[in-house]
Amino acid sequence: MSGNSEFLWYIPNDAKPGHRGDSAVEHHNSLDTLTEQAKALEEHGWKGALIGTGWGRPDTFTVATSLAARTTTFEPLIAIRPGYWRPANFASAAATLDHLTGGRIRVNIVSGQDNLSAYGDSEGDQADRYARTKEFMRLVRRLWTEETVTYEGQHFRVSQSNVAPRIEVRGKRRHPKLYFGGASEAAERVSATEADVQLFWGEPIDGVSERIERLKGLGGRLDRDLPPLEFGLRITTLVRDTTQQAWADAEAKVAAMAKNAGAGWNDHRQSVAVGQQRLLDLHKRGDVLDDNLYTAPGKYGGGGAGTTWLVGSAADVARSLRKYEDLGVTHFVLSDTPYLTEIRRQGDQLLPLLLR
């Protein structure tokens, strides 16, 4: 793959043990356990990790800050929600953490449904929700890149606001990248104009290709005034020494999911968004799409990146990921369970094939 692609992992950040088949060990979400994962990522060639968000889970920004303080190169991709954060508060917190870590921060803006009333949020219908997200992203970026900002919008307003310390420009990096997902028309309009990176879940090649072309065209029609939108893939990668062993293990995992009704895998099913529904519908086209995209998990649990898996030897999975890169995908967020075991296995077996 080209030298432009980046490879991150996933840290589950979940109060309950056994997330997506992970080992249900004692103190699974202690600082020592999560630090062990973050340090293993550094040692085995990964750039960093996405840290998930949602009410009822440990606070994502706190976890990311703690892990950044215990590592030296690990880059947290911090998932956050407009409504949980105000834009100026977040811009300041992120700028401070970016300063303290020497520019290691990335941000994933999440607009999907959550337990809003639990933290006092009310975001209205879908159109209102994405209009607020659009304002949030535009205002955060302005606060990071302009000395003083006055802004009055439908959802947010600031007067003579500035962020200290300032975000340091590092080469082509003017500020932490803003990642964004979502497959609805409203979400894609936000991504086309405001995101730095559009994240896709594990759709087949044809689906991702179609969405990339649509987003590029949409950005032109909506007069995007930022650098060109980049693209990322968040997917489960089940890698074993041989193709046969990988498929045997994948089928055993799905059988276990079927037996326990997907317990531990359903964290995106509280309210099924457009992108999630696209994934759940894929198994109707077949249990295996493209060469090795396994859709059967979506029948029994799945949820988010756990709905479809790339299955095979390291060479099989690398070959499939190269096809996404050929479409223009340059940001990859991979994972499998047990998380720590797979950080090491895939770092040693898969990453060398992707980074050469």
Side-chain angles (χ1 to χ4, degrees), residues 20 208 213 235 292 314 327:
R20 293 185 184 165
V208 172
E213 292 309 309
I235 193 168
N292 56 340
L327 298 178

Side-chain angles (χ1 to χ4, degrees), residues 89-110:
N89 299 115
F90 177 73
S92 176
T96 299
L97 186 55
D98 198 63
H99 166 71
L100 293 174
T101 61
R104 287 193 274 145
I105 305 309
R106 301 159 185 250
V107 178
N108 181 29
I109 306 293
V110 179

Side-chain angles (χ1 to χ4, degrees), residues 16-244:
K16 298 181 227 175
H19 182 262
R20 293 185 184 165
D22 195 17
S23 302
V25 298
E26 190 176 5
H27 308 306
H28 73 283
N29 68 335
S30 70
L31 181 55
D32 284 345
T33 298
L34 297 178
T35 299
E36 185 179 14
Q37 294 184 34
K39 287 187 173 180
L41 288 164
E42 290 185 322
E43 293 163 3
H44 292 269
W46 301 92
K47 194 81 171 173
L50 169 64
I51 305 175
T53 190
W55 190 253
R57 302 169 78 170
D59 177 72
T60 310
F61 202 90
T62 305
V63 172
T65 301
S66 300
L67 295 181
R70 285 195 165 194
T71 54
T72 56
T73 62
F74 169 79
E75 298 189 13
L77 174 53
I78 308 169
I80 65 106
R81 291 177 180 273
Y84 183 93
W85 287 89
R86 303 284 294 179
N89 299 115
F90 177 73
S92 176
T96 299
L97 186 55
D98 198 63
H99 166 71
L100 293 174
T101 61
R104 287 193 274 145
I105 305 309
R106 301 159 185 250
V107 178
N108 181 29
I109 306 293
V110 179
S111 288
Q113 295 292 330
D114 195 18
N115 188 3
L116 306 178
S117 61
Y119 52 91
D121 187 23
S122 176
E123 62 185 9
D125 60 17
Q126 185 193 63
D128 186 66
R129 173 159 46 103
Y130 282 107
R132 183 176 73 170
T133 298
K134 180 180 174 68
E135 279 192 22
F136 184 96
M137 295 171 74
R138 176 64 51 144
L139 183 51
V140 165
R141 186 182 279 105
R142 287 189 62 190
L143 287 163
W144 282 342
T145 57
E146 299 177 21
E147 287 290 339
T148 304
V149 177
T150 295
Y151 173 82
E152 184 163 349
Q154 179 182 354
H155 300 274
F156 303 113
R157 57 194 59 84
V158 296
S159 178
Q160 297 296 299
S161 182
N162 54 64
V163 167
R166 305 296 303 159
I167 294 285
E168 181 180 341
V169 176
R170 300 170 187 273
K172 294 182 179 180
R173 182 188 187 266
R174 296 178 62 225
H175 56 74
K177 285 188 184 292
L178 295 177
Y179 292 65
F180 186 69
S184 68
E185 180 180 354
E188 288 192 341
R189 291 177 72 86
V190 172
S191 191
T193 57
E194 308 302 327
D196 296 309
V197 180
Q198 163 75 39
L199 272 180
F200 303 119
W201 275 329
E203 295 188 39
I205 292 292
D206 59 356
V208 172
S209 176
E210 173 194 346
R211 293 193 61 199
I212 286 174
E213 292 309 309
R214 183 165 65 248
L215 284 161
K216 286 180 177 178
L218 193 56
R221 292 194 297 276
L222 296 176
D223 297 323
R224 177 183 174 92
D225 58 358
L226 301 172
L229 181 63
E230 300 172 33
F231 302 102
L233 181 71
R234 169 74 188 100
I235 193 168
T236 294
T237 45
L238 194 152
V239 174
R240 297 294 185 268
D241 291 342
T242 68
T243 303
Q244 293 77 14

Side-chain angles (χ1 to χ4, degrees), residues 9 44 77 79 217 252 261 288 315 321 329 332 339:
W9 193 254
H44 292 269
L77 174 53
V288 181
L321 292 174
V329 175
F332 295 86
Y339 290 108

Side-chain angles (χ1 to χ4, degrees), residues 318-355:
R319 189 163 47 248
S320 294
L321 292 174
R322 287 191 193 98
K323 293 179 181 179
Y324 289 101
E325 190 188 45
D326 289 343
L327 298 178
V329 175
T330 54
H331 299 261
F332 295 86
V333 184
L334 312 179
S335 69
D336 191 22
T337 56
Y339 290 108
L340 182 58
T341 300
E342 294 306 315
I343 286 169
R344 294 167 175 157
R345 185 209 305 268
Q346 297 193 34
D348 293 345
Q349 296 183 13
L350 179 61
L351 277 187
L353 301 179
L354 301 174
L355 295 173

